[in-house]
Structure formats: C-alpha cells, structure tokens
Amino acid sequence: MSEKRRILLQLDTDAQPSTFDSIVALDAGADVLLRYGGVRPETVVPLVHGAIFTRGPKDLPHTAIFIGGSDVALAEQVRDVVRKTLLPQWGLSVSVMLDANGSNTTAAAAVRTVLAHQELSGASVLVLGGTGPVGQRIAYLAAQQGAQVRIASRQLSKAQEKVARLQARLPHGRFLATQTASESALREALRECQVVFGSGPAGVRVLPKALWLGQSSLRILLDLNAVPPSGIEGVEPTDNGVLRDDVRCFGAIAVGALKMKIHKAAIAQLFTRSDLHLDIEELFSLSATL
Amino acid sequence: MSEKRRILLQLDTDAQPSTFDSIVALDAGADVLLRYGGVRPETVVPLVHGAIFTRGPKDLPHTAIFIGGSDVALAEQVRDVVRKTLLPQWGLSVSVMLDANGSNTTAAAAVRTVLAHQELSGASVLVLGGTGPVGQRIAYLAAQQGAQVRIASRQLSKAQEKVARLQARLPHGRFLATQTASESALREALRECQVVFGSGPAGVRVLPKALWLGQSSLRILLDLNAVPPSGIEGVEPTDNGVLRDDVRCFGAIAVGALKMKIHKAAIAQLFTRSDLHLDIEELFSLSATL
Amino acid sequence: MSEKRRILLQLDTDAQPSTFDSIVALDAGADVLLRYGGVRPETVVPLVHGAIFTRGPKDLPHTAIFIGGSDVALAEQVRDVVRKTLLPQWGLSVSVMLDANGSNTTAAAAVRTVLAHQELSGASVLVLGGTGPVGQRIAYLAAQQGAQVRIASRQLSKAQEKVARLQARLPHGRFLATQTASESALREALRECQVVFGSGPAGVRVLPKALWLGQSSLRILLDLNAVPPSGIEGVEPTDNGVLRDDVRCFGAIAVGALKMKIHKAAIAQLFTRSDLHLDIEELFSLSATL
C-alpha cells in the first residue's frame, strides 16, 4: 500500500455535519475529512462514485465512508444506497461504517459492559426506552446473546411494532413488548428481571429507585443518560460497576468511555481494507477485542 | 518560498462539492482544501479576496483556486469573475484551474490519445455527441490541430449553434454541423472520416457497429462512455489501441487514465506559480509533456 | 499534552465561511479546520458539545473555536451561546475567539498603531464612521486609554444611540456623539482634535483634505480604507507614519499588517489553553506584546 492520505467521507443526514464524529475520526487516524451535511439517499451516488473512481484498488483502503446523523432511519437508507453504488466486483469499493447518532457504538458498549459481569444467555432483560434507536440495538444484541428481552414503552402498540421488526430481523430471538406507563406496569415489567438498561430520552427519569429497590432477581442497572437526572434513579453517570443496594450500577460516562474506544477502533479498521461494512453486529464483535 | 501549506479553494457550482475533484487534488499535492458548494458568480468575490489578501506575493504560489461543477457554462462565469477579482498588478494573484465536470481534462486526454496514433492536420473527424461540453472541447482541440471537424447532433439546429460558437472562438478552424438522427444521416456523416469520437450521454449507444464496419477511410474510434453500453458499438472501455476490424479502438478507461494524469499534473502545476490560468488550451499543452 | 492535532471550529454566520479567516488560521498553526457557514445561536449548541465531549481535559487545549462573519451582532449572539454551552466546571471547555468581519483585530491594530506615536490619555479623538463595528471598537479602546472620543455619523441619532451603548459598557469612558453631514459640522467635529480615525464604508471619502489641512491641534490621521479613494483625503494605503503637512499618516495596508500579526498570534494562543476568551480587550492586550 502506498503512502496515500487516509480520506474519510463523513456523510451526515443533519444539516450541519457532526463535530463529534469529525473529531473522533481525526483522532482515530483519518488524515483528511470530506464532510457533507444534509446527505440524502437520492443525492449520495456521485459522492460514492468520486470515492471509488479516483484511486486504484491498491489504494482504496485509504478511502472510507462514515455515515452519521440524528435521523437513524434516514442514515440507514443512505447506507443502503452507498452499498449498492460500490463496485466490489471490479475492485472499486471502500469500507463503510454506520453510526447514526452514535446508536451503534453506544449499544455495543452498553451490552459489552454488562457481559463483562453477567451472562446474558437465559437472562431476563428489560430495556427502558426500548423503542428508540439505541434501545432497539441493545435489545437486538441482548437477544442475540440468548437473553429474553422485554421492550418497554409508555405505549404498548409502539413496543409491539418494534418487537415485530426485531423478530423479523432475528427470528430465533426472544422478544416481548411491555407497557410501562404506570408504576404497577413498571413493577410488573421488572419481575424476575436480571438486567435493566435505561436508554430513554435525555433528562427524563424512567425508573424511580423505590421500584427497583429490593427486587431480588436484579443484578445490573445500566443507565445511558449523561444529563441529570439519570433515567434510572440511584445510578450515577460515573458509576462503573459499583454495588448500590446489592445491584451493580453503570452510568453514562463509564459506558461512554468504551463507546469512544469502539468508535475509534472502528474508524481505524476502516482504513485496513476496502470491503468492510461496519454496522451493529460488526461493531459489537469489534468491542470484544478492546 | 516558505514552507506554507498548499491550500486549494475548491469552488463547485453544484450543491455538493465533488468528492472526485477533492480526492484528486489531495493526491496531486494539495495539503488543505477549502471546499464550497453552490458557488455563483455573484457570491465568489469575497472567497477570492480572502485568498489573495492573506498571504504575501512570495507565498501566494501556495494558494490556488480550482473551479468545477456539472454546469460547465456556470463554472465558466465563475471563472470570469474570479479572474477579474485577482490583482496581479499588485502581485496579489493565485493560479486558477477550470475543469467543470472534468470536461477540459477529458477532452485533452481524448485528443492527445488520438494524436499518438494519427496526425490530425488535414484529417476528417466526427464528434458524436458533439454539442456537449466534452464534445465541444474535443472539436475545438481537433480543429486547432488542423482537422476538419463535424459536430454531430440529433438536431441540426443545435449542431449549427455550437459550430457558430466554435467558429467565433477559432476563426481559422474548419467546422461542419451534421445531423445524425437517422442511420442514413449517420452513414453520410461517417463518409471519408478518419477519426470518430464518441462523447454522447452515458449509457446511450450512438453508433451501431454495422454502420462503421467496412468504412474504408476509418482509422480510429474513441469512446468515452464507461457505463455499458458503449456509445460506439464494438469499442470496449478497456480498449487501448487494439485493432478491431482494422480500426484502432480506445475506450473510456484507457482515456480516463490519461485524464487523471493530466488532472493531477495540472493541480501540481498550480502550486508552482501564482499567475497560471489552466483552461482547455493549457491543459492540452500540459498533456503533451506527460 | 499529547500530540493531538490542533482542530479549529470555524463558525461563520455568513452562508460561506470566510476564506480569509481559514487561511490565517491555517498559517497560524491550526492543523485542521471544521468549517461551518450560516451558524446561528439556535443551532450552535451541538457543534460545541461535539468539541468538548470528544477529547479529555488534557487534550482540550488542542481544540478551539473561532467565531466570524460579516454580521457582528449575530456573531456576538453566537459567542454568548457558545460560552454558556462550555462546561469549565468539569474541565470540558475550549478556548474561544470572536473576530467577526475582522472588527476586533482591526480596531486593536488601529489603536495600537496610534499609541506607538501618541499618548491617548487626555487626547481628543474623532472616529469617522464611528457607528460601524470597527469604529465602535476603536472608540471603546481609545476611551479606555483615557481619550475623549467623538463618535461621528451623518445622522446624529445614530451616533447618540452608539454612544449610549458604549457608555453603558464603559461607564467611566468619555464619549460624545457628533453629526458630520456637512462641511461645517465636520470642521466643528475636528476642532481641537489630536487624532482622527477613518473607519467608514469602503470607497467612500469622508474627510476632504481642505478640512484637516492647517488644523493646528491635529497630530495623527489613520485611515482604514484599502479600496480607493481613501476615507481621509491625503492618506495613502501604504502610509506608515509618514508626515504629510505636519500630520503623521497611517493607511490601511500598514494597519493591516499589524492586524494580521494580532490575528495570527491570537489563533496560536487559543491552542495553549482551554479557557481563553479572546474578544476586543484580550486582543488589544495581546497586540501590546507583538
């Protein structure tokens, strides 16, 4: 491989490309960023053509594509078009990573953090805020590890819709929709649960301490909310495995540190080949090596 | 000259600045790109002022301007404003290159490729798709070499309009407008022709093999279409001078390789002085040295 | 501090981020620019979050924010939101510089230039075009040095409004509003004046030579207009302290050279700490060290 600079196309569906994703990419080894905001499935093709038609197959590992933005579904559509536009049969391909809104790296870090302390195969897992992009990915990964996963939402129909999607994607996965609009419903959802993930909207308390305290099956609480108050009452952002009332707690900052490691390792990996597709599964596998 | 970084202003008339032009510029020696999409003649002046008022005359060879975009006429208007805004009389100037949609470098590569095998002075040349930006530039360069050039279009009036423009720009050039809407018209246009350039729209077959096969004056077929089918039936994208039925054939990939060399050499040249204007003639001259 | 690259967020309120500010930043030591046009107070928060949440406190001196754009008031609003978004209490901060339209560095250079030749404490100063962003900042700095400052405008009400604002910001400052719509009014404004700053709109003559010639108290004329004609008749852009009819003259190019030094030194300083706020006062102090 020649000494070509490592060029990363940062394709962001938001109007302003993310400074977060830019700085992480630079710190992870990208030499130059070509940044785009407002990227859409219908406008992305020429951007990909320029990436694959400018360097020969030998140098293409030094070009890569990162897809981000706060609208996860839109970013997935962009990714689909990007993949279809690549021409791997002619050696004209670049590696592609999808991490819209950090949802993939965050979910991978959350599940990996729990796995270091708790077998998930056969475990009962509750995902609060389970219908959001991060919650969905946590549910997917936990089910893949053999857990029975309850997707919680204030509206049962919303949870059921997401369960149907997850089931279609992972036919052998065990998913349940659960409604958590009331205290009694929350208490019911927690019954016999070993692990609770809190991935609800920022600054919203979704689980009061009174509800989880003394729940005897409970082993782990993991909360992803860095902005006070935490989603799960009693978990602090800096918690990194501390036992609180006999439950092991993990907060947003501890998980965030692993998320950053995964994110950087993934960017670095993009530049080792021209045929990688780093999505939730690949990022989760990668997290096992860190 | 000091060790200032080589900064290229990439001014693109398209909403999204071209990744193709960015990557080629980086590989050709630009250290930093300042990229702009949606550039218009009426908004470009402050961008040029910032380029010429920030470094002294001694360092200005390390700043340059590249103008691109798929609307060639609009890019030419931007170039005109850029040139007028430079202040060479005070030593406040930067070198400027125009290669909207790659039309200049592609045309230079196409004509240079033919010249390596065929004298054009006195030759009869047919340019299919001759009214597009690349076809126009091929016609101009071929006529400058002394060829008689037939500009082909499905509509005679369109071809005539382009001939009038070319004639105004190159008074001693020999141009003819020709209509090629039917097989008989195409056959007539090919009569006594030595060289055919195919520069029609991507993926459109403009010349069936049955029409050129056995045309005894024909020496060279050059097709610029990389997306199947080729514009000239029988010419493959990778053809690089192969004889097919006694006619020498050149395809888009072979010409594209030379185009890339011209493009990179031109970018590198921009950073050697502060008074270069690289347009079709200069890029064609440059191609002779590669 | 690690060897992280120095990343500058260039936040510009204009649609097209300034090439001037970009090139100066690169020449002053920024390694990578993350450039944004059309920045607004209501959209800037996620850009700041990405800046402070990606690197640890130890590395944050290698990230900084520059705020520019031709609408100075809007840029100041952006700055206010940027500052509020920083979290210095957690070590999550980056240094911030405001130089919308170059008004801060230009005003600092103008006043510093005069101070090298003329004590301002107790002096009588006239600022022509004193209601514009550069004129306002010159008035502020001159008053801070102890001068009595007359803010001139063609409309008295406009000058009065600006004086009220300056007075609120600098309660001990001595400001006067003066109308200069007629020759007699201009003559009156010049009476007993030692220093005149010309910071009116480009290409507009605001003071004919006949009016200042022979005015016995006059010591210094400084004109900021680089585009002919100069605002103050008789001052040339390259004047750097030359005596013309017994008055020391300074033109836009001489002041511009110092402005550039201040601008570059400020950018370099941004990357030495993570808690600097470089606005008019800090840039003026910095100019004393160059």
Side-chain angles (χ1 to χ4, degrees):
Chain A
M1 212 179 300
S2 75
E3 290 310 303
K4 288 274 196 307
R5 276 180 283 181
R6 288 179 295 267
I7 298 174
L8 186 69
L9 274 65
Q10 182 185 346
L11 308 184
D12 202 307
T13 58
D14 293 350
Q16 299 178 135
S18 160
T19 53
F20 187 101
D21 292 338
S22 298
I23 295 173
V24 175
L26 289 165
D27 284 350
D31 292 312
V32 183
L33 304 176
L34 302 180
R35 310 163 78 230
Y36 293 86
V39 174
R40 292 291 173 274
E42 55 274 21
T43 58
V44 78
V45 168
L47 303 180
V48 179
H49 278 156
I52 62 177
F53 288 146
T54 35
R55 292 173 157 184
K58 188 174 64 72
D59 290 320
L60 278 175
H62 280 193
T63 307
I65 294 178
F66 176 92
I67 302 166
S70 58
D71 184 334
V72 177
L74 187 56
E76 287 178 340
Q77 291 172 37
V78 168
R79 174 207 56 197
D80 291 345
V81 176
V82 167
R83 288 197 183 176
K84 268 185 225 155
T85 309
L86 300 174
L87 298 166
Q89 65 274 30
W90 301 352
L92 299 178
S93 179
V94 296
S95 289
V96 178
M97 171 174 173
L98 175 69
D99 195 25
N101 220 15
S103 55
N104 280 335
T105 45
T106 302
V111 175
R112 185 63 64 195
T113 296
V114 168
L115 274 176
H117 297 270
Q118 168 78 37
E119 173 95 35
L120 281 175
S121 176
S124 182
V125 164
L126 175 64
V127 187
L128 298 167
T131 57
V134 174
Q136 286 285 290
R137 283 160 178 74
I138 288 173
Y140 177 82
L141 293 175
Q144 223 179 20
Q145 296 295 311
Q148 184 191 283
V149 182
R150 301 176 202 180
I151 311 289
S153 173
R154 295 179 63 84
Q155 288 175 262
L156 185 62
S157 62
K158 225 172 139 184
Q160 287 171 328
E161 185 203 322
K162 298 297 183 178
V163 161
R165 281 209 214 176
L166 283 165
Q167 203 69 72
R169 194 165 163 199
L170 197 69
H172 68 274
R174 292 183 300 151
F175 300 102
L176 277 174
T178 181
Q179 183 258 94
T180 52
S182 66
E183 287 211 356
S184 60
L186 257 174
R187 220 182 276 277
E188 180 60 30
L190 278 167
R191 189 193 298 269
E192 287 169 28
C193 195
Q194 279 94 48
V195 179
V196 178
F197 291 93
S199 59
V204 176
R205 171 133 299 159
V206 288
L207 183 61
K209 184 163 183 181
L211 294 187
W212 64 258
L213 192 65
Q215 210 278 45
S216 64
S217 64
L218 202 59
R219 295 289 168 271
I220 294 183
L221 292 170
L222 183 148
D223 189 78
L224 290 169
N225 200 349
V227 183
S230 60
I232 301 172
E233 188 180 11
V235 180
E236 296 297 318
T238 52
D239 282 358
N240 193 12
V242 65
L243 279 172
R244 296 188 183 274
D245 299 293
D246 294 329
V247 180
R248 207 167 285 283
C249 293
F250 298 92
I253 289 175
V255 179
L258 179 56
K259 174 242 175 330
M260 186 64 94
K261 276 191 200 168
I262 299 170
H263 192 154
K264 285 189 186 172
I267 295 285
Q269 206 180 51
L270 287 177
F271 293 109
T272 61
R273 312 173 49 114
S274 61
D275 60 356
L276 294 173
H277 293 285
L278 303 186
D279 205 328
I280 182 68
E281 288 90 348
E282 295 81 6
L283 294 167
F284 183 64
S285 299
L286 178 61
S287 72
T289 69
L290 301 176
Chain B
M1 211 179 301
S2 74
E3 291 308 304
K4 288 274 197 306
R5 275 179 284 180
R6 289 180 295 265
I7 297 174
L8 186 69
L9 274 66
Q10 182 185 344
L11 308 184
D12 202 307
T13 58
D14 293 349
Q16 301 179 132
S18 160
T19 54
F20 187 100
D21 291 339
S22 297
I23 296 173
V24 174
L26 290 166
D27 285 349
D31 291 313
V32 183
L33 304 177
L34 302 181
R35 311 163 78 231
Y36 293 86
V39 175
R40 292 290 172 274
E42 55 273 23
T43 59
V44 77
V45 168
L47 302 180
V48 180
H49 278 156
I52 62 178
F53 288 144
T54 35
R55 293 173 157 183
K58 189 175 62 74
D59 289 320
L60 278 174
H62 280 191
T63 307
I65 294 178
F66 176 91
I67 301 166
S70 58
D71 184 334
V72 177
L74 187 56
E76 288 178 341
Q77 291 173 36
V78 168
R79 175 208 55 198
D80 291 345
V81 176
V82 167
R83 289 197 182 176
K84 267 185 225 156
T85 308
L86 300 174
L87 299 165
Q89 65 274 31
W90 301 351
L92 299 178
S93 178
V94 296
S95 288
V96 178
M97 172 174 172
L98 175 69
D99 195 24
N101 219 16
S103 54
N104 280 336
T105 46
T106 302
V111 174
R112 186 62 64 194
T113 296
V114 167
L115 274 177
H117 297 271
Q118 168 79 37
E119 173 96 35
L120 280 175
S121 175
S124 182
V125 164
L126 174 64
V127 187
L128 298 168
T131 58
V134 174
Q136 286 286 289
R137 283 158 178 76
I138 288 173
Y140 177 81
L141 293 175
Q144 223 179 19
Q145 296 296 311
Q148 183 192 282
V149 182
R150 301 176 202 182
I151 311 288
S153 173
R154 295 179 63 85
Q155 287 175 262
L156 185 61
S157 63
K158 226 172 139 183
Q160 286 171 328
E161 184 203 321
K162 297 298 183 178
V163 162
R165 282 210 212 175
L166 283 165
Q167 203 70 70
R169 194 165 164 198
L170 197 70
H172 68 274
R174 293 184 297 151
F175 300 102
L176 276 174
T178 181
Q179 182 260 94
T180 52
S182 66
E183 287 211 356
S184 60
L186 257 174
R187 219 182 276 278
E188 180 61 29
L190 278 167
R191 190 192 298 270
E192 286 167 30
C193 194
Q194 280 94 49
V195 179
V196 178
F197 291 93
S199 60
V204 177
R205 172 134 298 158
V206 288
L207 183 60
K209 184 163 183 180
L211 294 187
W212 63 259
L213 192 64
Q215 209 280 42
S216 64
S217 64
L218 201 59
R219 295 288 167 274
I220 293 183
L221 292 169
L222 182 148
D223 189 79
L224 290 169
N225 200 347
V227 183
S230 59
I232 301 173
E233 188 179 10
V235 179
E236 297 297 318
T238 52
D239 283 357
N240 193 11
V242 64
L243 280 172
R244 296 187 182 274
D245 298 295
D246 293 328
V247 180
R248 208 167 285 283
C249 293
F250 298 91
I253 291 176
V255 178
L258 178 56
K259 174 240 175 328
M260 185 64 92
K261 275 191 200 168
I262 299 170
H263 193 154
K264 286 189 185 173
I267 295 285
Q269 205 179 51
L270 287 176
F271 292 110
T272 60
R273 313 173 50 114
S274 61
D275 59 357
L276 294 174
H277 292 286
L278 302 187
D279 205 328
I280 181 67
E281 287 91 349
E282 294 82 5
L283 294 168
F284 183 65
S285 299
L286 177 62
S287 73
T289 69
L290 301 176
Chain C
M1 211 177 300
S2 75
E3 289 310 302
K4 287 275 195 308
R5 276 179 283 181
R6 289 179 295 266
I7 297 174
L8 186 70
L9 274 65
Q10 183 185 345
L11 308 184
D12 202 308
T13 58
D14 293 350
Q16 300 179 133
S18 160
T19 54
F20 187 100
D21 291 339
S22 298
I23 296 173
V24 175
L26 289 165
D27 285 350
D31 292 312
V32 183
L33 304 177
L34 301 180
R35 311 164 78 231
Y36 292 86
V39 175
R40 292 291 172 275
E42 55 273 22
T43 59
V44 78
V45 169
L47 301 181
V48 180
H49 278 157
I52 63 177
F53 288 145
T54 36
R55 293 173 156 183
K58 188 175 62 73
D59 289 321
L60 277 175
H62 280 191
T63 307
I65 294 178
F66 176 93
I67 301 166
S70 58
D71 184 334
V72 177
L74 186 57
E76 287 178 340
Q77 292 173 36
V78 168
R79 174 207 57 198
D80 291 344
V81 176
V82 166
R83 288 197 183 177
K84 268 184 226 157
T85 308
L86 300 174
L87 299 166
Q89 66 274 34
W90 301 351
L92 300 178
S93 179
V94 296
S95 288
V96 178
M97 171 174 173
L98 175 69
D99 196 24
N101 221 16
S103 55
N104 279 335
T105 45
T106 301
V111 175
R112 186 62 62 194
T113 296
V114 168
L115 274 176
H117 298 270
Q118 168 78 38
E119 174 95 35
L120 281 174
S121 176
S124 181
V125 164
L126 174 65
V127 187
L128 298 168
T131 58
V134 174
Q136 285 286 288
R137 282 157 180 75
I138 288 173
Y140 176 81
L141 293 174
Q144 223 178 19
Q145 296 295 312
Q148 183 193 282
V149 183
R150 302 177 200 179
I151 312 288
S153 172
R154 295 178 64 84
Q155 289 175 259
L156 185 62
S157 62
K158 226 172 139 182
Q160 286 170 328
E161 184 203 321
K162 298 296 182 180
V163 162
R165 281 209 214 177
L166 283 164
Q167 203 69 70
R169 194 165 164 198
L170 196 68
H172 68 273
R174 292 184 297 151
F175 301 102
L176 277 175
T178 182
Q179 184 259 94
T180 51
S182 66
E183 287 210 357
S184 61
L186 257 173
R187 221 182 275 276
E188 180 62 29
L190 277 167
R191 190 192 296 269
E192 287 168 29
C193 194
Q194 279 94 47
V195 179
V196 178
F197 292 93
S199 59
V204 177
R205 172 134 299 159
V206 287
L207 183 62
K209 185 164 182 180
L211 293 187
W212 63 259
L213 192 64
Q215 210 278 45
S216 63
S217 63
L218 203 59
R219 293 289 169 273
I220 294 183
L221 293 169
L222 183 148
D223 189 79
L224 290 168
N225 201 347
V227 183
S230 59
I232 302 172
E233 189 179 11
V235 181
E236 297 296 319
T238 52
D239 282 358
N240 193 12
V242 64
L243 280 172
R244 296 186 182 275
D245 298 294
D246 293 328
V247 181
R248 208 167 284 284
C249 293
F250 298 91
I253 290 175
V255 178
L258 178 56
K259 174 241 175 329
M260 186 64 94
K261 274 189 200 168
I262 299 170
H263 192 154
K264 285 189 186 172
I267 295 284
Q269 206 180 51
L270 287 177
F271 293 111
T272 61
R273 312 174 48 115
S274 60
D275 60 356
L276 294 173
H277 292 286
L278 302 187
D279 206 329
I280 181 68
E281 286 91 349
E282 295 81 5
L283 294 168
F284 183 65
S285 300
L286 178 61
S287 72
T289 69
L290 301 175

